[in-house]
Amino acid sequence: MMSDLAGQRRWHKYTPIEDGGSWFLPNNNHLSHTFSSSKHINILHIHTYILISKTTLIQPSTMVAISKPPIEHFFLKPCKQTNNNHHHPTSIPIIDLSKPESKHQLVKACQDFGFFKVINHQVPLQFINKLESKAIKFFNSPLSLKQKAGPPDPFGYGNKHLGQNGDFGWVEYLLLNLKHEPNHKNPTISVFEDNPEEFQCAVNDYVTAVKKMTCEILELLADELKLQSRNVFSKLLLDEQSDSVFRVNYYPPCPELQEHELTGKKLIGFGEHTDPQIISVLRSNNTSGLEILLKTGCWMSVPPDSTSFFINVGDSLQVMTNGRFKSVKHRVVANSLKSRLSMIYFGGPPLNEKIAPLPSLMESDEASLYKEFTWFEYKKSAFNSRLSDNRLGSFENNQHNVSS
Ligand SMILES: C=C1C[C@]23C[C@@]1(O)CC[C@H]2[C@@]12CC[C@H](O)[C@@](C)(C(=O)O1)[C@H]2[C@@H]3C(=O)O
Ligand SMILES: O=C(O)CCC(=O)C(=O)O
Ligand SMILES: [Fe+2]
């Protein structure tokens, strides 16, 4: 077990440079161990290589090549295919933020789905478009440049590898830390060749507006739940020490998938998971791919809408509401022809914040479903887990131990 984990970490250190059909890795004494301990890479050939691409000339002794993993490696397991029920179609709740009566619908959506779409949100379109075009420019730039912003540790540019524990998907991403660290320049952003400040500015404008909308939603939720103070959730995001992150995911088209689509095969873009934070706010272009897991056990494809935001309850909000709100399982499937670009704000509490069911929400005889933990403890455990793991499991109060 230990050596397996160590191997995966070492593999992660050598994020592959993809170039056509092969992945290139720096030659190194550890390589044979790295390969043999990675369950996820299909090793067909290892040989000394001279690579001359448009941008690079590499000495024979410095590189080895392995065949890239076959596309089958990214297929979703057949039992987990989407099964939209066409007889009783379920529709995603749409909340119009310009209507005061939306409060009630918001709570209902968090209880029934843990997921909803928001319209009339007041986030300026120009902020969305500006950041989107900058992100597209970044993802369309040469791999060698993008890799200067990686590997993700956990922040930075990532390609196909998600987290540090062997998860992968047909996705490239930028993961950015939003935690306020005075005099600290974001190292990831410094790779934006022409003007890093411009990209930073586009992120700031976008995130500030999205955070404002998110806090309004959290306050409406607290109001409707009749909690003592309406800022009980929003204050966690507004805190200077709020541990929030921002992510831009780019799912390139996969033309090779086309022939397999005829047999109903789907490609994993981002595997099934719940988000650990309080709340996640997603905006994507008009390419479909996002799916949520319904109570029925069926996956439902979320129709894309680039003018709206999609919001999901995170694990921490599920705990704070003692399970009333559901942290929804979701995933992304990649597309054979169109690229998907999504931008997600993950609102998290300060690291030292205690996460536990809110006393003002609990009935007098209600048992707490969860043990108290700090966000630091939960985050640490989440980042040591695999994407599809039930992360809250080890923080649940065992039914038998609940006395009164
Ligand atoms: C496989 C992983 C990626 C992730 C950390 C983890 O070990 C398990 C949780 C994953 C997740 C899902 C929601 C967010 O995208 C994310 C940033 C987070 O907070 O938890 C990712 C983590 C990641 O990409 O590093
Ligand atoms: O990219 C998407 O559309 C969703 C990705 C996601 O769920 C995540 O980054 O946590
Ligand atoms: Fe997610």
Side-chain angles (χ1 to χ4, degrees):
M1 182 67 190
M2 270 310 289
S3 68
D4 191 37
L5 265 180
Q8 286 180 8
R9 292 230 172 83
R10 223 167 276 145
W11 157 248
H12 169 254
K13 223 165 116 188
Y14 302 116
T15 300
I17 308 165
E18 214 180 332
D19 190 70
S22 298
W23 286 14
F24 296 90
L25 296 108
N27 203 352
N28 187 291
N29 291 339
H30 299 307
L31 277 176
S32 54
H33 174 71
T34 305
F35 291 155
S36 58
S37 63
S38 169
K39 298 185 209 88
H40 305 286
I41 302 299
N42 203 30
I43 308 156
L44 296 179
H45 317 284
I46 302 180
H47 51 94
T48 311
Y49 215 89
I50 303 172
L51 165 68
I52 307 170
S53 75
K54 278 186 210 119
T55 50
T56 347
L57 166 66
I58 289 166
Q59 295 301 314
S61 60
T62 58
M63 296 295 281
V64 294
I66 56 169
S67 299
K68 72 178 178 184
I71 186 177
E72 285 78 9
H73 212 80
F74 293 84
F75 285 158
L76 278 175
K77 307 239 162 55
C79 59
K80 294 192 174 169
Q81 302 280 334
T82 310
N83 183 8
N84 283 330
N85 189 332
H86 298 293
H87 298 293
H88 305 283
T90 312
S91 48
I92 282 147
I94 302 176
I95 315 288
D96 183 342
L97 281 187
S98 67
K99 305 247 168 72
E101 63 270 22
S102 62
K103 272 199 252 190
H104 177 69
Q105 296 166 6
L106 273 174
V107 166
K108 193 161 168 15
C110 290
Q111 288 170 344
D112 296 350
F113 288 89
F115 187 81
F116 54 91
K117 168 169 147 173
V118 162
I119 58 171
N120 286 326
H121 47 68
Q122 308 293 322
V123 175
L125 200 61
Q126 88 219 46
F127 291 170
I128 300 174
N129 291 341
K130 192 165 153 208
L131 184 55
E132 182 175 51
S133 65
K134 289 198 177 297
I136 290 173
K137 196 171 161 212
F138 172 77
F139 288 111
N140 284 331
S141 58
L143 191 62
S144 55
L145 183 133
K146 291 186 278 187
Q147 283 183 321
K148 288 185 185 154
D153 59 353
F155 300 112
Y157 167 76
N159 189 339
K160 297 191 180 72
H161 294 262
L162 289 160
Q164 318 282 307
N165 309 308
D167 286 289
F168 60 90
W170 193 261
V171 64
E172 291 179 46
Y173 60 90
L174 270 174
L175 192 57
L176 306 177
N177 188 4
L178 296 178
K179 194 143 103 232
H180 178 71
E181 275 159 22
N183 306 324
H184 186 257
K185 269 201 169 175
N186 199 322
T188 306
I189 281 179
S190 56
V191 305
F192 283 78
E193 269 181 335
D194 40 357
N195 200 339
E197 287 77 23
E198 246 188 42
F199 185 77
Q200 180 71 69
C201 200
V203 171
N204 291 352
D205 286 346
Y206 177 87
V207 168
T208 306
V210 167
K211 183 168 158 183
K212 184 166 178 278
M213 172 192 69
T214 312
C215 288
E216 275 160 22
I217 292 171
L218 289 171
E219 287 171 13
L220 289 171
L221 286 168
D223 260 356
E224 183 66 13
L225 288 173
K226 312 272 180 296
L227 299 177
Q228 260 166 354
S229 48
R230 70 188 310 258
N231 71 349
V232 62
F233 303 127
S234 61
K235 70 174 184 209
L236 304 175
L237 273 54
L238 293 169
D239 193 303
E240 265 230 325
Q241 293 303 311
S242 152
D243 184 33
S244 297
V245 289
F246 182 62
R247 166 169 220 138
V248 187
N249 288 332
Y250 175 73
Y251 302 87
C254 178
E256 208 186 325
L257 172 66
Q258 244 175 313
E259 59 188 276
H260 301 276
E261 279 176 332
L262 300 170
T263 54
K265 293 279 191 314
K266 285 183 164 195
L267 202 68
I268 310 169
F270 204 115
E272 63 178 82
H273 66 283
T274 60
D275 295 342
Q277 292 81 2
I278 292 173
I279 193 163
S280 312
V281 182
L282 177 148
R283 187 270 173 192
S284 78
N285 66 355
N286 274 325
T287 303
S288 64
L290 182 63
E291 300 188 347
I292 58 166
L293 188 63
L294 301 175
K295 281 178 185 161
T296 57
C298 294
W299 285 100
M300 180 194 179
S301 171
V302 176
D305 177 355
S306 64
T307 63
S308 305
F309 284 91
F310 292 93
I311 302 203
N312 67 270
V313 169
D315 298 342
S316 301
L317 189 55
Q318 175 169 321
V319 172
M320 292 178 83
T321 58
N322 204 29
R324 285 168 179 72
F325 291 181
K326 303 285 179 300
S327 173
V328 70
K329 253 200 177 172
H330 54 284
R331 68 182 185 188
V332 179
V333 294
N335 195 296
S336 59
L337 299 174
K338 288 169 74 188
S339 59
R340 173 177 167 91
L341 187 102
S342 55
M343 319 198 273
I344 310 126
Y345 164 73
F346 299 93
L351 286 173
N352 61 2
E353 188 69 32
K354 289 200 173 102
I355 308 294
L358 294 170
S360 62
L361 191 72
M362 307 273 278
E363 304 288 344
S364 55
D365 59 345
E366 190 175 332
S368 169
L369 297 179
Y370 306 95
K371 297 170 192 146
E372 185 182 279
F373 52 82
T374 63
W375 167 242
F376 175 80
E377 287 164 335
Y378 191 60
K379 184 180 171 183
K380 192 167 147 215
S381 138
F383 277 73
N384 279 325
S385 68
R386 294 290 297 262
L387 211 45
S388 68
D389 285 351
N390 170 20
R391 278 178 276 285
L392 274 182
S394 50
F395 295 88
E396 277 164 12
N397 267 328
N398 186 327
Q399 297 287 317
H400 305 293
N401 293 344
V402 180
S403 43
S404 55

